[in-house]
Amino acid sequence: MSGRLRIPVLAAVFALLLLPLAGPASAAQQPAVELSESQAGTGGSITVSGSGWRPDTLLMLLICGRATPARGVIGGTNSCANGDGRAVTTDAKGGFSKELPVAEPPVPCPCVVHVATVTGAKADADAEFQVAGHAVEPLPAESAAGRLAVLTDTRLDGSSGVLTWFGAPPSRTLVFTVGNLGTTTVQNPVFQVGTAHGVFAPQWDEQQWRGTLGPGKKAQVKLPVELTAGAHGDYAVSLKYGGKVLAEQPWGVGRPWGVTLFWILLCLVVPVGVFRIGLAVVDRVRPRRPGGVRRRGLSRPAFRLPRPVLRPAEDPAPAPTPTPTLPWFTPDSVPDPAGRLSAPHDDSPTSPTTPTPKGPT
């Protein structure tokens, strides 16, 4: 064999060897559901097994009426026996096995066992099942005229304000692009927007989009979405048209910490106020002292600024009184200004003196 032919032959051999390995790998990515029994009556139970799911994923198992694996569940979870559903978590290989009680759905059969993911990327699978003794009615005819489909990923526009931080209802705008895959014009279509918290079923709200969408045309649609006051946690926003869920968008809502702060402050302020009122009441009813002064608690030390000491202006020293001088007084004989007078004495020459002994003359 020449070198030119050897390379294509080897490539073909490797392709044939890898083809059986690629087939099971791609098939394992598709979620599948198997039932232990295809028919059972109310009060019994069946075992639901699955494979090909994401590892460690929470799933919801429901028996739904007015549904087939080809058309899905017409009417969404409103056509399912939600009260008797079961939740299960897949193992590390994406498989599960769970016992499911048989219950009659709120709408007639044909019925299916509907398995869908609760969190993360949306995935579901159906398996045919017949509830023994339950009514069976044909499904409504599927109309090919005016079929709408979501062409792009949905998103939630908007942000939370200050009021939302204090418990106001969170609100967003669901934005998506829808296209008309039918043969007739769709005018003013009515969509259903549902909000679900955790594993609970969504609450649907009808909203009409004003516009006309011709065959093969597309348009951007914006629908308001609002939660209840004080809502927080992980929510899922679903879009449904014509009884079929078209898209699902997760929404993480933050906790309104302003409400928590308000209650903390309230728990601090109210006890302090009650304590102050109690002190005032005790002070009123406390008996007086014998001296008539009512005993009070420790007074709060008052902080006062020192007052400046105002001193009166000093009077000027009095001027000395001039000593009066009379013409018949000499300066030495003027009375003492202080009023002190010396003892009287006689300086005249005739004043008696000490007698001396007389001698003979």
Side-chain angles (χ1 to χ4, degrees):
M1 183 179 293
S2 62
R4 295 181 178 179
L5 296 177
R6 185 177 301 172
I7 295 176
V9 170
L10 292 176
V13 171
F14 278 111
L16 292 175
L17 292 176
L18 295 176
L19 184 60
L21 299 177
S26 60
Q29 299 299 325
Q30 299 296 330
V33 177
E34 296 181 358
L35 306 178
S36 60
E37 299 180 15
S38 60
Q39 181 177 354
T42 304
S45 62
I46 58 175
T47 302
V48 183
S49 304
S51 61
W53 299 84
R54 295 194 311 274
D56 301 326
T57 302
L58 182 62
L59 306 178
M60 178 61 70
L61 315 180
L62 297 171
I63 296 180
C64 304
R66 197 177 293 169
T68 60
R71 295 186 58 179
V73 181
I74 300 176
T77 54
N78 292 334
S79 301
C80 305
N82 297 311
D84 297 291
R86 293 292 184 269
V88 64
T89 302
T90 58
D91 55 21
K93 296 181 180 180
F96 71 90
S97 179
K98 184 70 173 180
E99 186 175 354
L100 178 66
V102 178
E104 294 184 353
V107 294
C109 286
C111 299
V112 297
V113 173
H114 180 71
V115 182
T117 56
V118 177
T119 58
K122 181 182 178 182
D124 55 21
D126 299 325
E128 291 185 3
F129 181 71
Q130 179 62 38
V131 180
H134 193 57
V136 179
E137 295 182 3
L139 297 178
E142 184 178 7
S143 176
R147 291 188 297 111
L148 299 182
V150 176
L151 304 180
T152 59
D153 293 336
T154 58
R155 71 175 188 271
L156 293 172
D157 289 349
S159 59
S160 301
V162 178
L163 296 180
T164 305
W165 200 69
F166 284 94
S171 61
R172 294 289 188 275
T173 301
L174 182 63
V175 182
F176 58 93
T177 301
V178 66
N180 187 359
L181 305 181
T183 57
T184 59
T185 302
V186 177
Q187 187 175 5
N188 299 332
V190 178
F191 296 93
Q192 287 182 313
V193 179
T195 55
H197 182 47
V199 298
F200 295 98
Q203 302 293 328
W204 299 99
D205 181 24
E206 292 187 353
Q207 298 187 19
Q208 187 176 24
W209 178 71
R210 299 290 181 178
T212 301
L213 200 61
K217 300 296 182 180
K218 63 180 181 179
Q220 188 181 60
V221 180
K222 297 181 179 181
L223 302 175
V225 183
E226 184 174 311
L227 302 178
T228 57
H232 62 276
D234 295 330
Y235 283 80
V237 180
S238 304
L239 177 68
K240 184 166 61 174
Y241 177 76
K244 185 177 181 180
V245 178
L246 302 181
E248 187 175 9
Q249 177 69 29
W251 182 9
V253 184
R255 181 181 295 273
W257 292 108
V259 179
T260 305
L261 179 61
F262 170 79
W263 285 110
I264 292 176
L265 293 178
L266 187 63
C267 293
L268 293 177
V269 172
V270 171
V272 172
V274 173
F275 178 73
R276 296 295 297 273
I277 294 174
L279 288 181
V281 172
V282 170
D283 186 66
R284 289 286 184 182
V285 300
R286 182 179 297 175
R288 295 177 179 271
R289 281 187 172 186
V293 180
R294 182 178 296 166
R295 181 187 298 249
R296 295 183 179 272
L298 295 177
S299 60
R300 182 181 299 176
F303 179 77
R304 298 180 180 177
L305 294 176
R307 294 183 179 180
V309 179
L310 300 179
R311 296 181 177 178
E314 296 182 357
D315 297 335
T321 306
T323 303
T325 304
L326 297 176
W328 54 86
F329 284 102
T330 61
D332 294 337
S333 62
V334 175
D336 188 14
R340 294 188 301 270
L341 299 176
S342 58
H345 60 277
D346 188 4
D347 294 337
S348 62
T350 60
S351 61
T353 57
T354 306
T356 57
K358 295 181 180 182
T361 57

